[in-house]
Amino acid sequence: MAQLVSYSLLVLILSNKEMISLTKATYLRYCKYIIGFGGPLIFHKSSVYIRDGLERYFVFIFFSSYTLGVFFAAKQLALIILVLITVVNRALSPYIMEKLKNNELKTQVLDSMFSLLILLFLVIYYALYVFISPEIMAFVFGDVYSDSYKYVPQLVLGALLYLPYTISVNILYFHKKVKSISLATFFISLLHVSYIYYFSLKMDLLVMSYSTVISNCLISLFIFFIARKTLKDKM
């Protein structure tokens, strides 16, 4: 909830100079705005939390405790990437919002950024696939978790694919297209849960571990194209 309010206030401050001197009428108007802006994001955040919770639940009930430990050892590396992405996004958000406010962010910049990031992610995935080994994972987490090397490349790639989403979604926040964000998250979360449930039944954790790659790739592409269209319409 704190994130929803902070996003709403950030957009308000950058897009409305009236925020500096609030009257009772404008205060009520801004409260309604925060509810209208943040309401769909509650749906968005809920979809993400439920999706991640169900993933942990399916792994827990369908696989052994050893497999569970090995899988989530690899997932810790992906979580580190997600923390770094969150930090980068927090640092870039004011800059992106300022560029949007001044109408200085163009589709060409977004296209170049997206292409370079995808190329970089594929190189990182290939490097991890080739060089990550049981010995490295045993050194990092201990001998019992050496098998987690099988899951590292795809889990890290899935986490990295979240970066284009976090950058593109700032554009939709600025232009108040939160319903598009919520709907995209909801339907892709459904796909994600269906995928992991199906391959949990098949007892194939290796294939199931690609679920984050698929869902984050789809959500990043969808939000990117919506953000691009929004920028193009504003030009």
Side-chain angles (χ1 to χ4, degrees):
M1 183 61 71
Q3 287 184 345
L4 304 183
V5 174
S6 62
Y7 276 128
S8 303
L9 289 175
L10 178 61
V11 173
L12 278 173
I13 291 169
L14 290 174
S15 59
N16 296 278
K17 294 181 180 178
E18 300 172 16
M19 193 72 181
I20 298 172
S21 56
L22 285 177
T23 64
K24 184 177 179 179
T26 54
Y27 175 78
L28 290 174
R29 181 159 59 91
Y30 288 137
C31 285
K32 290 179 181 179
Y33 176 88
I34 290 173
I35 294 171
F37 184 84
L41 292 181
I42 295 174
F43 188 65
H44 157 69
K45 288 291 183 181
S46 298
S47 298
V48 174
Y49 290 140
I50 292 171
R51 181 196 72 185
D52 293 344
L54 285 174
E55 178 179 295
R56 289 190 292 270
Y57 176 72
F58 288 147
V59 174
F60 179 77
I61 64 172
F62 285 107
F63 299 94
S64 67
S65 57
Y66 170 76
T67 303
L68 182 69
V70 167
F71 178 74
F72 281 103
K75 198 143 189 171
Q76 294 308 306
L77 297 179
L79 289 175
I80 294 171
I81 300 296
L82 287 175
V83 170
L84 294 175
I85 287 173
T86 302
V87 171
V88 170
N89 184 53
R90 290 289 186 272
L92 289 179
S93 289
Y95 173 78
I96 294 172
M97 293 293 185
E98 189 66 30
K99 288 291 184 182
L100 289 167
K101 180 183 175 183
N102 297 328
N103 199 27
E104 295 175 352
L105 188 59
K106 307 301 180 185
T107 55
Q108 293 86 347
V109 175
L110 198 63
D111 291 346
S112 300
M113 176 211 68
F114 199 88
S115 300
L116 287 172
L117 285 177
I118 294 300
L119 180 61
L120 175 64
F121 296 163
L122 290 175
V123 171
I124 293 173
Y125 172 78
Y126 179 76
L128 288 172
Y129 185 80
V130 171
F131 296 110
I132 202 74
S133 66
E135 292 75 19
I136 292 175
M137 298 308 295
F139 176 77
V140 175
F141 294 110
D143 292 338
V144 71
Y145 297 111
S146 60
D147 285 344
S148 60
Y149 81 97
K150 296 181 292 185
Y151 309 110
V152 170
Q154 56 268 33
L155 291 176
V156 170
L157 177 61
L160 288 170
L161 285 169
Y162 191 66
L163 181 57
Y165 163 82
T166 59
I167 294 174
S168 301
V169 83
N170 286 305
I171 299 169
L172 301 188
Y173 282 140
F174 183 83
H175 292 290
K176 308 177 183 66
K177 292 184 177 290
V178 291
K179 289 182 180 179
S180 299
I181 301 170
S182 298
L183 287 173
T185 305
F186 175 72
F187 286 111
I188 290 174
S189 293
L190 281 180
L191 177 64
H192 181 98
V193 170
S194 300
Y195 180 93
I196 60 176
Y197 179 69
Y198 176 78
F199 285 104
S200 292
L201 291 176
K202 296 287 185 180
M203 302 297 288
D204 195 336
L205 187 58
L206 186 62
V207 176
M208 196 199 85
S209 63
Y210 281 90
S211 60
T212 306
V213 174
I214 295 170
S215 58
N216 280 353
C217 183
L218 289 175
I219 192 71
S220 291
L221 284 171
F222 182 83
I223 295 299
F224 166 76
F225 284 117
I226 296 296
R228 191 182 188 282
K229 183 178 183 303
T230 301
L231 285 180
K232 192 173 182 180
D233 292 342
K234 297 295 180 180
M235 290 177 63

